Amino acid sequence: MTSPPVIRVAGVSKAFRAAGGGPPARVLKDVNLSVPKGCLYGLIGPGASGKSILLKMLTGLMKPDVGSIEIEGADVTRMGELDLQKLRLKFGMLFQNNALFDHLTVGANIAFPLQRLFSLPKDEVERRVAERLACVALSGFEGRLPGGLSGGQKKRVGVARATITNAPIVLYDEPAAGLDPVTSQKIFELLRKEQRAIDATCIMVSSDLDRLLTVTDRVGMMYRGELIFDGSTHEAQTSTEPRVRQFVHGLTEGPL
Amino acid sequence: MPEDAIPRHTQVFAAAGTAFLRVATTAGGMGILLFRILARFFPPRIDGGEIWKNLYKMGVKSLPIVAITALFTGAIMVVQAATIVKRYSAEGLLGWGAGFGTLREIAPLLTALMISGRVGANNTAELGTMVVTEQLDALRVLAIDPIGFLIVPRFVSIVATLFMMTLFADALALFGAAHTGKALLNVDPVTFYNGFTAGLLDFGDVANGLTKSVVFGVVIGLASCHFGLATTGGAPGVGRAVNAQVVASAAGIFVLDYVTSFILG
């Protein structure tokens, strides 16, 4: 018997009111998606296709106009703020622009979820922060402020913060943006290793398809708010659907 | 409906309606925010460490600018009164005149405007930047309530800062007035303080100004947090939010100054 999916998105649509008073812009159209436990799901697609909005909806930061989003069987769209807070203890998330707290040092940023949510001794928190920083090749950066880091370094701090609580569900929005190819590959391999270690369920949005597809179990492709493909990584790589084929192989000729 | 589709003679009503709706939206938003802030006190879900941090940043660091403002405000009161005091040889009333205006009106009002410009604008800019860079969303995903963690400490700190700064400004303004009286009118500071404490002024006058400082603190705290949280549109949006906060706070301060003065007599 197959276990129920950890993440289930059913018939989700969302439209935003246009600024100039025109017709609403539909950013998600009848999206259906299931991610089983322990799956690393890659979400791909051109810019502005609704990937980041879908990630935010999974954590209850945005509500869909119609449809339901279930996390371990609980419907996020019907939850109040207090229930959402409890649910979010299960999440780790890396934001597209990192969302590091400017007023906190790198060490404090990474330690933040541990200090706020778990009553761990100070030396245990410091040990885990040092271990996280070593994993993302930023040892010794504890005392620096985010404003003094490069884009790639900020991204790595964001990865360290997203993974420090060993959350069972982790969402990564462009974990390799701004990183050099070697660091990028290391980050993908690190995230894969950690995902396997705790059997976490992950959704990873990335434009770095060459590396993303080396670590994913399944792949979904979004285009203009619709999920136009959902299958295994191998199926994505061999798909004959013109838009998927063009995007996955980076072809300049095609419908996109 | 596009603006050019509205008949010209009714455009003025459309503009008035739009302005009214904007004010109502802001007032409603601030009312809801006040309710959400108060809800964090029952039971208390407030970050004490953040309150101390903000009190230092908002209060201690505002001392120099408040001190300069207060000293010169007291001095200006005496400069303006000097002609009349000389003409009627009313040196004994100088302390009362300066004290009455300072304690009840000038010190709380000018301190509030200074704090609004320095602390309120900074608070809106910080919160606005956090909103547009998704830091508030990150807090939510980390299962941390942004109202309890960010907003309540800032609101409490602004109200407490304004209360304490008004007390500080009262003392410094009177000090400045007394010494300007000596320099301009040769009124001895002892005579100034005798006029001040001879019975024409009492604790009610101090309490009147301090009550206003709390009201102004609530206005600045709510406006700065509301406009910060409502920021949209990246860096230009942060600029617009700060601008709106300064205007709304100043307008709110003057309107509520009138109302409070009327109520407190």
Side-chain angles (χ1 to χ4, degrees), chain A residues 77-127:
Chain A
T77 59
R78 293 167 183 269
M79 284 184 182
E81 199 55 37
L82 285 176
D83 289 330
L84 278 173
Q85 267 187 39
K86 284 179 199 156
L87 178 84
R88 286 169 184 155
L89 290 170
K90 296 177 181 174
F91 278 98
M93 185 167 181
L94 171 71
F95 284 80
Q96 193 167 18
N97 60 7
N98 311 311
L100 300 179
F101 304 123
D102 296 324
H103 61 293
L104 298 180
T105 61
V106 166
N109 258 288
I110 298 170
F112 192 79
L114 285 184
Q115 287 173 330
R116 308 295 311 184
L117 305 174
F118 307 98
S119 305
L120 292 179
K122 196 180 167 206
D123 53 350
E124 171 65 7
V125 172
E126 285 173 1
R127 188 192 65 73

Side-chain angles (χ1 to χ4, degrees), chain A:
Chain A
M1 191 175 101
T2 50
S3 58
V6 172
I7 298 170
R8 198 175 75 85
V9 178
V12 162
S13 295
K14 177 82 179 172
F16 288 122
R17 202 173 44 183
R26 293 189 72 189
V27 290
L28 291 180
K29 297 171 199 165
D30 193 28
V31 175
N32 293 283
L33 174 70
S34 286
V35 183
K37 184 173 169 52
C39 174
L40 202 167
Y41 191 95
L43 196 55
I44 62 173
S49 56
K51 307 182 294 289
S52 297
I53 287 173
L54 184 59
L55 287 196
K56 286 189 175 183
M57 283 186 177
L58 296 180
T59 58
L61 290 175
M62 274 186 191
K63 301 243 183 224
D65 295 334
V66 291
S68 67
I69 295 172
E70 288 179 13
I71 303 294
E72 294 181 344
D75 191 347
V76 175
T77 59
R78 293 167 183 269
M79 284 184 182
E81 199 55 37
L82 285 176
D83 289 330
L84 278 173
Q85 267 187 39
K86 284 179 199 156
L87 178 84
R88 286 169 184 155
L89 290 170
K90 296 177 181 174
F91 278 98
M93 185 167 181
L94 171 71
F95 284 80
Q96 193 167 18
N97 60 7
N98 311 311
L100 300 179
F101 304 123
D102 296 324
H103 61 293
L104 298 180
T105 61
V106 166
N109 258 288
I110 298 170
F112 192 79
L114 285 184
Q115 287 173 330
R116 308 295 311 184
L117 305 174
F118 307 98
S119 305
L120 292 179
K122 196 180 167 206
D123 53 350
E124 171 65 7
V125 172
E126 285 173 1
R127 188 192 65 73
R128 284 175 68 170
V129 168
E131 183 249 337
R132 277 294 87 192
L133 280 171
C135 283
V136 294
L138 285 176
S139 292
F141 278 64
E142 289 90 337
R144 302 267 289 268
L145 284 168
L149 302 181
S150 70
Q153 288 170 331
K154 284 181 190 170
K155 184 63 74 179
R156 284 184 275 160
V157 176
V159 168
R161 188 178 68 185
T163 54
I164 197 161
T165 58
N166 289 330
I169 305 168
V170 194
L171 311 175
Y172 301 102
D173 200 350
E174 297 287 358
L179 299 181
D180 63 82
V182 177
T183 312
S184 176
Q185 187 64 39
K186 282 183 183 170
I187 290 287
F188 276 117
E189 285 174 10
L190 168 76
L191 298 180
R192 178 55 153 168
K193 194 175 117 193
E194 302 213 332
Q195 181 260 333
R196 281 194 173 139
I198 59 169
D199 200 24
T201 307
C202 297
I203 296 186
M204 200 180 276
V205 172
S206 179
S207 309
D208 187 353
L209 295 193
D210 288 344
R211 293 179 182 81
L212 177 72
L213 298 182
T214 64
V215 296
T216 50
D217 299 308
R218 292 183 67 79
V219 174
M221 178 168 164
M222 296 197 67
Y223 181 63
R224 294 186 175 172
E226 289 180 72
L227 188 73
I228 59 168
F229 174 84
D230 181 19
S232 70
T233 303
H234 179 71
E235 285 168 347
Q237 287 165 323
T238 56
S239 172
T240 54
E241 208 284 337
R243 293 168 296 182
V244 178
R245 200 171 76 85
Q246 185 189 357
F247 192 76
V248 168
H249 297 288
L251 307 175
T252 53
E253 298 292 320
L256 296 182

